[in-house]
Amino acid sequence: MFRGFHNSLRLLFVVRTLARFDALFLLDTLEKAPLHVKLLRLILPLFAIGAPSHQHLRKGERLAGALQALGPSFIKLGQALSVRSDLLGEEIAQDLGNLRDKLPPFPYEKAKETVERELERPLNEVFVSFDEKPIAAASIAQVHYAEVEDSIPAPTEENPDAVCTERRKVAVKILRPDIEEAFQTDLRLFFWISGLAERFQPNFKRLRLTKIVEILEQSVELEMDLRMEAAAAAEMAENFEGDPEFSVPEIDWQRTAKRVMTQSRIDGISLSNRDEIIEAGHDMQALSAVVIRVFLKQVLRDGFFHADMHHGNLFITDDGKLVAVDFGIMGRMDRQTRLFMAEMLFAFLVGDYRRAAEVHFEAGYVPPHKSLDAFTQACRSIGEPILGKSVDEISLGRLLVQLFQTTETFEMETQPQLLLLQKTMVTAEGVAQSMNAKVNFWEVAHPTVEEWMLENMGPEAKAAQIVKDGLGFLNKLPDLVTKTDRLLTLIEERESQKDQKTDPADGPMQREVSAGFYLVTGVTAGAVLMYLLTAVLH
């Protein structure tokens, strides 16, 4: 009860802030809202009397301003909602997509205190120089430039143990003080609100708002531990080792802890500085294609992708290589989901709408009682307008709106595991388009998707998977035989105890035990033979 009262007070503050920004239009969508909510909708604008007017702004801009004023948790919520065009409309979703984590920095003294506490050493012992003014301040952390000095072996004939020092430029990311408590308070509120929304707006159940908040909670939990972000950066660096188009800053693990992360400094131009990139002589058309290819490699090849690929997190080096930073929000996709996404995307790319529809049914995304022919027609209505057109002629955001409308018609539930992918796809499209307005997303994507499908869905790949499954079964076989033998021994012992009281001779139980033994043995031998034969043939 106390939690409900606390959430109510917090909600009152939130709604009052929305009223100040004239962003209460969200309450108008609650068709079955209780009477007291409707009354609150009429009264709350009175609290905004005297506040600056925001009427000249679009709805999405007013909502984005209110969420930014409410703090980091609500900024993250706005970013999550930016992919829900079906819920808020395309224009509002686009405005929320422009929401950036720009907040006043916290004091240098707090940053110094955090570094020394986390690394258990004075700041001047960890870094030979440390800029007091941060270069960036976001909702969760801020970044300072610094320099470190490492000792490296430099043996000589006279002194085999000689060492020399090497100075490196680094960037140090530091979490905001007490950020964890602020997020936990607001996450509890988000769960409470999502529950109310699904209760009073039955149509919202299909959107699975509570599940979205759960994903937000998991994402925030990972972002609160910078060691997890460092591990994500290191994993992606391994995935792209030796790649000529993309790289990741090197993590300095000796200067990284839960609330502090140190990495090599990027010597490049932010993709947000388009004019500067052009002046440096970079090929904008080639760069836009690189953004798309890198995104598809992360999603399809690795199943592990940077889920915040906006301009501010991407840089271009002098040699034309794309470099990403800020690995706090990452997405993962299992192999089965990647296979589904690749086949569905390829079906759209080649105009095979029947197969695109079949894949949705096979994945269980469309209820089986729905018409395959009708869904094929719906897929065609989505795919035909975009094939062969450049990004400036189409909008993935608008495409997603139509796709979401189709999902409602065919009673398809929101797939939470795809939310980050949808958000990242729209972001990657925007980045690529800013580099080259005429880029054809599908034309660039086609070779990458086709190559991955041949490697993972062709005959050789399927045969290799069968062999892999067979070898896995063979590894488990000794344990299976042992357990089967123990089970049969136990059954025989129990039958033997019964035999002392009765004379079963060739009774039913003995025949069942024998039959069971031969059945298990036969199935096992057959399975082994099948896998061995498959391995030989392929």
Side-chain angles (χ1 to χ4, degrees):
M1 183 175 180
F2 174 77
R3 178 172 296 180
F5 177 73
H6 183 269
N7 284 332
S8 298
L9 290 179
R10 176 63 173 159
L11 179 60
L12 184 63
F13 172 76
V14 171
V15 177
R16 181 178 180 273
T17 302
L18 291 172
R20 288 196 300 107
F21 281 83
D22 194 27
L24 285 171
F25 56 86
L26 290 178
L27 295 179
D28 296 334
T29 64
L30 297 179
E31 300 172 359
K32 299 183 180 181
L35 179 61
H36 66 273
V37 172
K38 294 180 179 179
L39 291 175
L40 192 65
R41 172 68 179 93
L42 297 174
I43 296 172
L44 275 169
L46 299 177
F47 290 93
I49 294 178
S53 175
H54 297 84
Q55 284 289 339
H56 62 287
L57 300 176
R58 295 192 302 270
K59 286 184 176 181
E61 291 175 329
R62 300 200 300 267
L63 179 58
L67 294 177
Q68 187 163 342
L70 286 168
S73 306
F74 287 86
I75 292 175
K76 291 295 181 185
L77 177 62
Q79 291 176 339
L81 289 174
S82 67
V83 301
R84 301 315 309 270
S85 304
D86 58 329
L87 179 61
L88 300 176
E90 183 181 355
E91 183 180 275
I92 296 176
Q94 286 179 345
D95 287 332
L96 291 179
N98 294 327
L99 193 63
R100 291 293 176 259
D101 299 346
K102 294 182 180 179
L103 293 174
F106 56 88
Y108 163 74
E109 290 72 20
K110 289 288 186 180
K112 180 175 181 291
E113 178 184 333
T114 300
V115 171
E116 293 183 338
R117 182 178 63 251
E118 290 292 310
L119 301 183
E120 300 179 343
R121 294 163 59 192
L123 184 70
N124 58 6
E125 289 186 10
V126 181
F127 304 101
V128 294
S129 70
F130 191 93
D131 293 352
E132 295 188 9
K133 184 179 180 180
I135 62 163
S139 60
I140 288 180
Q142 65 187 35
V143 180
H144 293 256
Y145 276 161
E147 290 185 339
V148 298
E149 199 171 71
D150 297 322
S151 298
I152 57 175
T156 62
E157 293 183 1
E158 295 78 13
N159 186 3
D161 298 324
V163 296
C164 66
T165 59
E166 178 186 53
R167 180 170 289 199
R168 294 184 291 109
K169 295 180 178 180
V170 297
V172 186
K173 186 173 183 177
I174 307 169
L175 285 186
R176 285 184 174 274
D178 305 320
I179 190 66
E180 295 91 343
E181 291 78 4
F183 266 104
Q184 285 305 316
T185 298
D186 287 338
L187 282 171
R188 287 192 293 267
L189 176 64
F190 294 163
F191 277 113
W192 187 65
I193 293 175
S194 64
L196 291 177
E198 292 176 346
R199 176 182 175 187
F200 294 115
Q201 187 74 0
N203 290 337
F204 282 8
K205 290 183 179 180
R206 183 185 66 85
L207 302 176
R208 302 169 74 178
L209 298 179
T210 300
K211 188 65 178 179
I212 293 174
V213 179
E214 290 178 1
I215 294 175
L216 176 64
E217 181 183 38
Q218 295 168 6
S219 174
V220 167
E221 185 177 346
L222 292 177
E223 285 190 84
M224 294 298 104
D225 189 340
L226 295 181
R227 294 170 300 186
M228 297 298 291
E229 178 177 343
E235 181 177 347
M236 184 158 286
E238 289 182 3
N239 293 341
F240 281 86
E241 185 176 2
D243 192 286
E245 296 181 328
F246 181 74
S247 67
V248 175
E250 183 180 357
I251 299 297
D252 186 337
W253 287 100
Q254 302 305 314
R255 297 174 176 87
T256 294
K258 183 176 182 179
R259 301 179 63 84
V260 176
M261 184 183 75
T262 304
Q263 64 181 32
S264 59
R265 195 185 306 181
I266 304 300
D267 186 14
I269 306 171
S270 170
L271 261 59
S272 59
N273 300 325
R274 190 176 189 277
D275 293 339
E276 191 174 342
I277 295 175
I278 295 176
E279 290 177 7
H282 293 290
D283 186 336
M284 302 298 284
Q285 185 174 349
L287 181 57
S288 66
V290 168
V291 171
I292 296 173
R293 283 197 298 268
V294 166
F295 163 70
L296 290 173
K297 284 181 181 179
Q298 293 176 11
V299 173
L300 295 178
R301 185 192 67 189
D302 306 327
F304 183 60
F305 59 94
H306 192 304
D308 201 15
M309 285 182 60
H310 61 75
H311 296 80
N313 286 339
L314 297 172
F315 295 81
I316 183 73
T317 61
D318 292 340
D319 58 358
K321 180 174 287 190
L322 190 69
V323 183
V325 297
D326 194 355
F327 299 87
I329 306 177
M330 305 297 294
R332 288 190 184 273
M333 291 174 57
D334 59 37
R335 177 178 171 80
Q336 194 60 39
T337 303
R338 280 183 280 157
L339 291 173
F340 158 72
M341 289 298 301
E343 190 165 9
M344 181 195 69
L345 183 58
F346 189 76
F348 272 108
L349 288 172
V350 299
D352 188 352
Y353 303 113
R354 182 76 176 187
R355 183 54 192 155
E358 290 173 346
V359 172
H360 278 81
F361 277 84
E362 292 169 4
Y365 291 174
V366 180
H369 67 272
K370 289 296 181 179
S371 168
L372 176 61
D373 292 333
F375 192 70
T376 300
Q377 185 177 347
C379 290
R380 182 180 294 275
S381 72
I382 294 172
E384 285 295 330
I386 64 177
L387 287 179
K389 292 187 177 181
S390 58
V391 170
D392 66 331
E393 296 179 278
I394 62 173
S395 168
L396 280 180
R398 189 174 295 110
L399 172 63
L400 288 175
V401 171
Q402 188 174 354
L403 183 59
F404 281 132
Q405 291 171 347
T406 301
T407 63
E408 183 174 7
T409 301
F410 289 88
E411 301 176 9
M412 297 167 62
E413 285 191 345
T414 296
Q415 301 299 320
Q417 75 275 18
L418 301 181
L419 290 178
L420 277 178
L421 177 63
Q422 293 164 358
K423 169 183 176 291
T424 308
M425 182 178 291
V426 174
T427 304
E429 175 204 36
V431 173
Q433 184 181 13
S434 68
M435 300 296 106
N436 174 23
K438 295 295 183 181
V439 64
N440 187 312
F441 188 97
W442 310 103
E443 187 177 286
V444 176
H446 196 147
T448 304
V449 175
E450 186 175 32
E451 180 183 357
W452 188 86
M453 287 185 65
L454 287 174
E455 292 178 355
N456 292 271
M457 302 178 70
E460 296 83 358
K462 291 180 179 179
Q465 188 63 39
I466 291 175
V467 173
K468 181 180 179 181
D469 292 341
L471 293 175
F473 180 81
L474 288 174
N475 288 333
K476 296 178 181 179
L477 186 59
D479 186 52
L480 176 63
V481 172
T482 301
K483 289 181 178 180
T484 303
D485 183 64
R486 289 177 181 174
L487 176 61
L488 293 174
T489 301
L490 179 61
I491 294 175
E492 289 175 350
E493 288 177 353
R494 291 182 177 177
E495 283 302 303
S496 177
Q497 293 175 359
K498 291 182 180 180
D499 288 345
Q500 295 177 4
K501 297 180 180 181
T502 61
D503 187 16
D506 277 332
M509 187 64 184
Q510 184 175 348
R511 287 194 295 273
E512 290 176 5
V513 169
S514 300
F517 175 78
Y518 290 124
L519 176 63
V520 171
T521 305
V523 170
T524 301
V528 171
L529 180 61
M530 179 186 70
Y531 280 120
L532 290 176
L533 181 61
T534 303
V536 171
L537 291 177
H538 294 282

